Amino acid sequence: MTITLDSLEPALSVRQVLTLERVLAGEPEVVAGASHLDRAVRWVHVAEAADVGVMLSGGEMVLTTGVLLAGDEEKQAEYVRSLHRADAAAVVLGLGRAFPAAPAVMRRAAERCGLPMVVLHRPFPFAELTEEVQSRLVRRKFAAVSLSEAVRTELTALITAGAPLQRLLDEVARHSACPVVVTNLAHRVLGTAGERPAVDDVLRDWERIARQAWGHRPGRSGTGGGTEGDGWIRAELGGRGERWGRIVLCGYRGDTATGRLLADRAAEALVLHRMLGGAAACSWEEQSAQSLLTDLVSGVVPARQLLPRARAAGLPVNRRTFVPLVVRDGDTARLDRLLRLLGLPGMVAELADGATAVLLSLPRDQDADALAAHFATRLRTECGPAGTVVAAADPRTAWDDVPAGLREARHVADAVADSVAALDLPPVVRLRDVHLRGLIRLLRDDPHVQSFAERELDGLLCETEEDLLSVLRTYLATGRNKSRTAQLHHVSRPALYRRLESIQVRLGVDLDDFEQAASVHIALLAHDAQQQ
């Protein structure tokens, strides 16, 4: 994608030109084409000949006294038609020398053509208007070139530093001062930037907006969303003859040329970012899902505020049953392929520590538990049951309940992470399947539970006692089986007895007493849960 100075075309509108102080001194009056005053003025040109159009290239505001048109109505009409054919921005007629008032023929022709026609009631040096407008246009073009280089430099520096997609979009949104959206060719939102309320307003009705914005005007870049000049500016993303997405400035308030410049510069950077990412890089679709599900799990952003993002990303959300799943040691690409293979609508995103979130969105007339079990069974068949855990929360019918469901599924997955081989797990593990360990996981952040764990284990929590703490953990996990504990720690039974006795002295408990042993076991589970 190459951007030249000519392609920038920063312009003033006819309306803006008419508000200039020098122009106001001529007492301008719009006599035709008043609904077209937002046309861009690319240049100012003085011309009197009837066939003026052959000298124009489009976007000019033409100034005339009409001296060569006086007395010939056909020439007057042709003059206007010639301007229209050349796509002129407007015609300005200085009254007094040839016409005391706006000629009706020219006014009617301009109205029919939709060409703004302005008359100046006071004598006015055209040279002053030309100088004023040209100097402003030159300054705008210089500012546009400076902005272009600044944006390119900043985005290139971010890419070189390995910045993620979101950081690039944030920088584009800073320069454009409007919401920025990146989509694939199906209009699914892959990334956004800008002030959150403004972005949410755009995403809330994204499906309709996208249809309106791209239902016409093919090409690399342009405006959409309704009327010309409304600030919806897009640039295509792709390379080597293949398009794969778009970046959209939503409601850009500057002039259209500068908006197109920003969109094109951003598109250049995003294409480069994707190319340098390579085939192994996380796709933008995966990054979008990861951002959304991470925000849902964290609870930092209220679920209701995330609903527009979910809908714009293509997740069905109206009258659905949501099944929150967390898979331990699951490959994101494999899980996504499996969802597509089974025809299950949903999103997949890697969280942390080997956990992957899967959010299914199912029609309410389908058996959510059965479909989740089918998904888990297929996954374990492909990956093998060893080391593959699919944890789930109960299905949710309200979007606001999804974050709690994802956190519950994460707790269940964590609770069985260290005990997979020891448990006879169903295809989908739920909170009821992990018993006490699951309860402790859910309560691990409770201050009372934390105080209980520290109080019960106080004598073993210093670094020098880590070996004794490990022996205690094994001893309780094996159901207080001393032979098995000695075997797992590669010590003799007498040596184990001495260690157990040392543990009891430090804790002030009798591990042969069931209630005391159970108390210590619960405290140890809580302590371990807090460390993860």
Side-chain angles (χ1 to χ4, degrees):
M1 182 185 302
T2 301
I3 301 176
T4 65
L5 290 180
D6 291 337
S7 71
L8 300 181
E9 296 183 350
L12 295 166
S13 68
V14 175
R15 191 186 310 277
Q16 289 172 317
V17 171
L18 296 181
T19 62
L20 297 179
E21 186 175 347
R22 289 188 179 182
V23 179
L24 291 175
E27 297 183 5
E29 178 190 359
V30 179
V31 296
S35 61
H36 301 278
L37 295 181
D38 289 323
R39 281 186 172 183
V41 176
R42 190 178 56 82
W43 209 244
V44 177
H45 190 68
V46 179
E48 304 285 357
D51 60 346
V52 61
V54 298
M55 298 180 284
L56 307 179
S57 57
E60 293 89 352
M61 173 178 277
V62 177
L63 312 180
T64 181
T65 61
V67 292
L68 299 182
L69 304 176
D72 191 331
E73 292 188 347
E74 179 55 35
K75 281 187 177 182
Q76 295 170 19
E78 176 56 27
Y79 185 84
V80 173
R81 290 194 295 266
S82 178
L83 293 178
H84 171 63
R85 289 193 297 269
D87 198 24
V91 58
V92 177
L93 175 65
L95 300 180
R97 187 172 180 185
F99 297 99
V105 172
M106 292 183 69
R107 190 171 64 246
R108 288 195 298 269
E111 193 65 47
R112 283 195 299 270
C113 295
L115 176 71
M117 180 175 176
V118 181
V119 296
L120 300 175
H121 289 279
R122 297 187 62 180
F124 183 83
F126 283 169
E128 290 188 9
L129 174 58
T130 303
E131 178 186 10
E132 176 76 10
V133 175
Q134 313 302 48
S135 63
R136 286 176 179 265
L137 291 175
V138 169
R139 289 198 298 270
R140 279 175 169 244
K141 181 166 289 190
F142 178 76
V145 173
S146 299
L147 174 64
S148 168
E149 290 309 307
V151 171
R152 168 181 282 168
T153 300
E154 291 172 13
L155 295 181
T156 301
L158 288 173
I159 294 171
T160 303
L165 171 66
Q166 186 60 53
R167 183 68 185 85
L168 269 66
L169 296 184
D170 289 341
E171 190 67 18
V172 176
R174 185 178 70 83
H175 281 288
S176 63
C178 69
V180 176
V181 176
V182 173
T183 76
N184 61 16
L185 294 182
H187 311 319
R188 298 289 170 81
V189 174
L190 307 180
T192 63
E195 294 185 2
R196 196 71 258 166
V199 172
D200 288 344
D201 285 343
V202 169
L203 297 185
R204 193 167 288 114
D205 200 17
W206 179 253
E207 186 176 346
R208 181 191 63 80
I209 289 173
R211 285 199 306 268
Q212 197 173 347
W214 293 294
H216 56 285
R217 299 179 194 158
R220 186 195 60 189
S221 66
T223 59
T227 60
E228 184 73 30
D230 62 2
W232 281 74
I233 300 172
R234 75 179 187 266
E236 304 293 339
L237 304 177
R240 299 178 180 176
E242 180 183 3
R243 294 185 301 117
W244 38 261
R246 298 181 179 93
I247 182 169
V248 191
L249 307 186
C250 306
Y252 180 72
R253 296 306 178 193
D255 65 79
T256 302
T258 303
R260 288 197 182 107
L261 166 66
L262 279 170
D264 284 342
R265 281 290 185 244
E268 285 181 342
L270 295 187
V271 170
L272 180 60
H273 182 273
R274 181 162 170 141
M275 289 173 57
L276 294 179
C282 182
S283 73
W284 289 357
E285 286 84 353
E286 291 171 339
Q287 291 180 45
S288 175
Q290 182 173 6
S291 174
L292 175 61
L293 292 185
T294 299
D295 284 347
L296 278 171
V297 172
S298 70
V300 174
V301 182
R304 189 165 298 277
Q305 292 185 21
L306 296 173
L307 187 58
R309 283 173 58 188
R311 184 183 289 113
L315 184 73
V317 294
N318 295 328
R319 298 188 58 78
R320 308 293 285 190
T321 297
F322 302 102
V323 183
L325 304 173
V326 170
V327 181
R328 297 295 308 190
D329 301 321
D331 177 73
T332 303
R334 183 194 297 273
L335 294 172
D336 191 59
R337 285 195 301 270
L338 183 57
L339 286 183
R340 297 176 187 277
L341 178 65
L342 299 178
L344 297 176
M347 302 185 80
V348 179
E350 184 177 350
L351 298 178
D353 302 325
T356 303
V358 180
L359 180 61
L360 302 182
S361 175
L362 308 172
R364 290 189 177 177
D365 59 353
Q366 294 186 350
D367 188 335
D369 288 339
L371 288 173
H374 181 52
F375 169 77
T377 301
R378 285 291 300 268
L379 179 63
R380 296 181 76 177
T381 299
E382 290 188 12
C383 303
T388 301
V389 175
V390 180
D394 291 334
R396 265 64 173 171
T397 56
W399 175 257
D400 287 347
D401 295 334
V402 169
L406 285 167
R407 289 193 290 272
E408 180 180 317
R410 178 70 182 272
H411 285 312
V412 173
D414 289 345
V416 299
D418 301 325
S419 309
V420 174
L423 295 173
D424 184 15
L425 297 173
V428 178
V429 187
R430 302 184 187 276
L431 193 59
R432 60 179 174 268
D433 299 313
V434 292
H435 308 293
L436 179 61
R437 187 182 296 271
L439 175 63
I440 295 300
R441 283 277 175 172
L442 288 176
L443 299 177
R444 64 180 176 176
D445 294 327
D446 188 295
H448 295 91
V449 175
Q450 295 172 355
S451 297
F452 169 77
E454 291 203 16
R455 185 170 60 249
E456 289 290 301
L457 301 174
D458 183 55
L460 294 179
L461 293 182
C462 58
E463 292 185 6
T464 57
E465 306 298 345
E466 285 185 1
D467 182 60
L468 291 180
L469 194 64
S470 176
V471 169
L472 176 62
R473 185 180 292 108
T474 305
Y475 179 61
L476 296 174
T478 58
R480 296 184 293 175
N481 186 321
K482 295 176 182 177
S483 298
R484 180 62 176 154
T485 301
Q487 180 183 5
L488 290 173
H489 281 270
H490 308 290
V491 298
S492 65
R493 289 187 59 140
L496 176 66
Y497 294 156
R498 289 193 295 272
R499 295 185 185 184
L500 291 176
E501 184 172 346
S502 179
I503 289 171
Q504 293 181 102
V505 169
R506 283 168 170 75
L507 297 183
V509 299
D510 179 4
L511 292 179
D512 290 329
D513 180 86
F514 174 79
E515 185 174 340
Q516 294 184 53
S519 181
V520 172
H521 192 187
I522 293 171
L524 187 57
L525 289 175
H527 170 75
D528 289 346
Q530 292 158 17
Q531 304 308 306
Q532 297 178 359

